[in-house]
Amino acid sequence: MNPMDLFRLKGFWDRFSAAHPKLVPFWKSVYPAAFGEGTIVDVKITDPSGRNYHYNLRFSAEDMQNFKEARELIESMARDLPRG
């Protein structure tokens, strides 16, 4: 993977989180305390025309293992980034 792609991804995240400043504090309030096997995530989306979409999911043990492995990979990649 190109390290510059990680810098670009960080830039996207920084702009998104600046545009939605309540998201990170919300995430920190639920993760990891309310995030685990059996957790139900309920998503509702309303498009500009007012149409609603709804979906929910329950995290399985396999989901949690996948999240753990992804987090470890991201942390490892971040450690390997050139410092400058």
Side-chain angles (χ1 to χ4, degrees), residues 21-81:
K22 293 181 181 180
L23 178 64
V24 172
F26 171 76
W27 181 253
K28 286 181 179 180
S29 74
V30 298
Y31 182 84
F35 191 85
E37 183 178 351
T39 294
I40 297 172
V41 175
D42 193 56
V43 179
K44 177 185 174 193
I45 297 173
T46 305
D47 70 19
S49 72
R51 183 172 177 197
N52 291 312
Y53 302 84
H54 179 251
Y55 180 75
N56 67 45
L57 64 100
R58 180 184 307 264
F59 288 125
S60 67
E62 183 179 356
D63 295 326
M64 300 314 301
Q65 182 62 34
N66 288 335
F67 286 131
K68 178 181 181 236
E69 290 176 22
R71 185 184 71 239
E72 290 169 353
L73 178 61
I74 291 167
E75 289 170 352
S76 172
M77 292 167 65
R79 284 190 302 270
D80 292 342
L81 284 175

